[in-house]
Amino acid sequence: MVWDVLNVIGTIAFAMSGAVIAIEAKYDIMGVYILGLITAFGGGAVRNLLTGIPIVELWQQTSLFIIALITITIVFLLPNKAIYNLKLWSIFDAIGLSAFAIQGAMYAYSIELPLLAVMFSAAITGAGGGIIRDVLAQEKPIVFRQEVYLLWAMIAGFIIGMGWAEESYQLYTLFSIILLLRIISNQYGWCLPARTFNKLQGN
């Protein structure tokens, strides 16, 4: 039940996020649908490839594809002001990250992968679609900037990999915590350490 709920939540959130970014980038209707679908399913597809799940299973998620297509259509038909407001709400990206990070960790943990693999599965499932979305939208992926983003997915993976969240209420609580942390870190501009490198100028 938790798996299915997180699947739906993450799909809607990331499909909406991808569609909004595509519209902002002035893509045509085909571009909006493609970017929305890639954002919604890209992370799971990469996870499946890296954990040995046949890629054909991706195409068997008919109900999720329908949900994503309906979501993208709604976003595309919204007035400009509503789309602008959606762009301001980073909450959709945070919801997708939280839902898919936990889902990815749950899968890796269920097949008894080691802790690092569970954390990686959480990270790539939660952030993979967003990375592909940003690249296709010609933006720097948010994952590789100073913002605290990928860390929250890895923390979710660590908690699940340690066996500290197995019951439904524990997983929903973890989802809420990761979502809240992502929203707070974005709101207050929390950053991870970073270095800059200036090229030496020749004489």
Side-chain angles (χ1 to χ4, degrees), residues 90-171:
S90 58
I91 188 172
F92 295 111
D93 201 61
I95 291 171
L97 170 73
S98 305
F100 278 159
I102 293 173
Q103 187 213 47
M106 286 171 60
Y107 174 78
Y109 184 69
S110 71
I111 60 175
E112 300 181 349
L113 292 180
L115 178 60
L116 286 178
V118 175
M119 294 173 66
F120 177 80
S121 181
I124 198 63
T125 309
I131 293 174
I132 300 171
R133 174 202 64 203
D134 291 345
V135 170
L136 293 178
Q138 300 180 6
E139 296 184 1
K140 292 181 179 179
I142 191 173
V143 171
F144 305 133
R145 301 183 210 166
Q146 290 175 286
E147 283 189 48
V148 183
Y149 187 90
L150 199 61
L151 177 63
W152 303 133
M154 296 178 69
I155 288 175
F158 177 79
I159 292 173
I160 292 174
M162 292 295 292
W164 296 343
E166 297 182 342
E167 300 296 329
S168 295
Y169 76 91
Q170 293 173 327
L171 292 167

Side-chain angles (χ1 to χ4, degrees), residues 187-198:
Q187 181 70 27
Y188 291 97
W190 294 356
C191 296
L192 294 174
R195 286 191 59 185
T196 58
F197 176 77
N198 295 322

Side-chain angles (χ1 to χ4, degrees), residues 2-189:
V2 176
W3 175 273
D4 293 332
V5 170
L6 292 178
N7 237 340
V8 172
I9 291 174
T11 298
I12 293 174
F14 270 156
M16 187 173 292
S17 172
V20 170
I21 294 295
I23 292 172
E24 184 186 39
K26 298 181 179 180
Y27 287 1
D28 63 20
I29 187 170
M30 187 61 69
V32 173
Y33 275 101
I34 290 176
L35 200 60
L37 289 172
I38 286 176
T39 307
F41 297 99
V46 175
R47 177 203 63 208
N48 289 0
L49 287 172
L50 294 178
T51 54
I53 303 176
I55 194 64
V56 69
E57 290 197 13
L58 173 68
W59 305 111
Q60 296 173 348
Q61 303 178 90
T62 305
S63 59
L64 290 179
F65 273 103
I66 293 173
I67 290 172
L69 289 170
I70 292 173
T71 301
I72 296 166
T73 301
I74 291 173
V75 172
F76 187 79
L77 295 176
L78 287 174
N80 289 340
K81 184 176 181 180
I83 294 175
Y84 177 75
N85 289 334
L86 287 177
K87 172 62 179 174
L88 294 179
W89 293 352
S90 58
I91 188 172
F92 295 111
D93 201 61
I95 291 171
L97 170 73
S98 305
F100 278 159
I102 293 173
Q103 187 213 47
M106 286 171 60
Y107 174 78
Y109 184 69
S110 71
I111 60 175
E112 300 181 349
L113 292 180
L115 178 60
L116 286 178
V118 175
M119 294 173 66
F120 177 80
S121 181
I124 198 63
T125 309
I131 293 174
I132 300 171
R133 174 202 64 203
D134 291 345
V135 170
L136 293 178
Q138 300 180 6
E139 296 184 1
K140 292 181 179 179
I142 191 173
V143 171
F144 305 133
R145 301 183 210 166
Q146 290 175 286
E147 283 189 48
V148 183
Y149 187 90
L150 199 61
L151 177 63
W152 303 133
M154 296 178 69
I155 288 175
F158 177 79
I159 292 173
I160 292 174
M162 292 295 292
W164 296 343
E166 297 182 342
E167 300 296 329
S168 295
Y169 76 91
Q170 293 173 327
L171 292 167
Y172 285 129
T173 300
L174 180 60
F175 166 76
S176 301
I177 291 172
I178 298 301
L179 173 60
L180 185 62
L181 287 172
R182 170 55 191 157
I183 291 173
I184 291 174
S185 65
N186 181 69
Q187 181 70 27
Y188 291 97

